[in-house]
Amino acid sequence: MTTLRSLAFAFLFYLWSVLVAVGCAIVVLPAPRSWCTEMMRGWAKGIIFLLRVVCDIKVEVRGREHMPTGAALLAPKHQCMFDVFAQFAFMPDACFVMKKELMWIPFFSWYALKAKMIVVDREGHSAALRKLVKDAQERFAEHRQVIIAPEGTRTAPGAAPDYKPGIAALYREIDVPVHPIATNAGVHWPKHGFTRKPGIIVFEYLEPIQPGLKRAEFMRTLQERTETASNALLTL
């Protein structure tokens, strides 16, 4: 039954995504950026609906008192594709930090440009970090929520973390709180394969880390909060 449900979800997921991307292009792309934000929110909520009715996977949000409404830096645990775009459904004006390779994808890249996502060349080293800081400052001036995965790539639930320096550079240069986000999404939407396992996907917004900590203390605090909370969700 799980296999049949997973196959049905995969078909409906791509059908829904294509219908939204193609059907909205002629209206959204020439319109104000806010239209693109609302389109992405509707797309993400549609996927959450499909997960519930097709795969018996419910999505639960915890720590709502820590969810930002203005300029903030979000640092989510990254276990699968879903934990990235789910934030469109929860944040008022999300802006993702994304690798430049994704800009080769038709429609996706057009919407990413329209939504003013932050594109990073991971081979650019110090120049890429400077651009990341500059772009993030511009988005914060627009009171947006900048989302960057501290590990830079997906890691399996329970695997040893490897936090990258990009988040520390942003924290050092920009005077906004960092909001860790714990999740168990990878348990129900694995990094590889199409199987979607029934249960509850939780996104838990943790107490924000205020500006002013030294780099080592900040990274230790971020990793401890995120990993402890995420590992506690693995039994759901």
Side-chain angles (χ1 to χ4, degrees):
M1 182 62 73
T2 298
T3 299
L4 290 176
R5 284 182 167 185
S6 298
L7 285 170
F9 173 80
F11 171 76
L12 292 171
F13 168 78
Y14 287 109
L15 177 63
W16 169 242
S17 299
V18 170
L19 288 174
V20 171
V22 177
C24 293
I26 194 170
V27 175
V28 171
L29 292 177
R33 182 183 63 79
S34 60
W35 289 39
C36 189
T37 299
E38 291 306 314
M39 183 214 72
M40 291 178 172
R41 189 189 319 282
W43 172 65
K45 287 184 176 181
I47 295 168
I48 292 172
F49 173 78
L50 289 175
L51 283 172
R52 185 174 73 250
V53 301
V54 178
C55 300
D56 193 25
I57 298 175
K58 297 179 181 179
V59 178
E60 178 182 323
V61 177
R62 298 180 182 177
R64 291 183 180 272
E65 68 276 15
H66 298 312
M67 295 175 70
T69 57
L73 185 60
L74 274 64
K77 180 68 178 173
H78 189 17
Q79 295 179 344
C80 66
M81 182 169 61
F82 177 63
D83 58 41
V84 175
F85 52 71
Q87 297 304 320
F88 286 124
F90 310 138
M91 290 293 103
D93 200 359
C95 171
F96 281 90
V97 176
M98 51 184 281
K99 59 184 180 182
K100 72 171 187 177
E101 289 81 1
L102 295 176
M103 298 304 289
W104 289 101
I105 303 175
F107 286 97
F108 177 86
S109 58
W110 304 342
Y111 286 117
L113 288 172
K114 183 67 183 182
K116 296 175 65 176
M117 300 301 171
I118 298 175
V119 181
V120 174
D121 179 3
R122 295 191 294 185
E123 303 299 321
H125 305 295
S126 60
L129 281 177
R130 288 194 297 270
K131 181 181 181 300
L132 171 61
V133 170
K134 178 178 179 295
D135 289 347
Q137 288 172 329
E138 293 176 356
R139 304 305 183 271
F140 289 137
E142 299 172 342
H143 307 289
R144 300 182 69 181
Q145 301 80 49
V146 174
I147 303 170
I148 178 172
E151 294 163 281
T153 189
R154 295 169 294 175
T155 55
D162 181 19
Y163 283 50
K164 301 296 191 296
I167 185 75
L170 283 175
Y171 176 79
R172 181 184 68 244
E173 299 293 337
I174 301 174
D175 189 31
V176 297
V178 173
H179 294 251
I181 304 173
T183 191
N184 65 338
V187 172
H188 306 283
W189 185 315
K191 177 180 177 180
H192 299 295
F194 70 93
T195 302
R196 304 292 175 257
K197 301 176 182 178
I200 303 175
I201 290 177
V202 176
F203 293 100
E204 184 175 359
Y205 293 80
L206 307 175
E207 181 183 355
I209 303 172
Q210 299 302 323
L213 297 181
K214 293 187 180 299
R215 176 190 176 109
E217 184 180 1
F218 164 71
M219 292 297 287
R220 183 176 63 253
T221 301
L222 174 63
Q223 182 167 321
E224 286 179 354
R225 288 186 188 178
T226 306
E227 296 302 316
T228 300
S230 293
N231 288 336
L233 297 172
L234 297 183
T235 58
L236 295 180

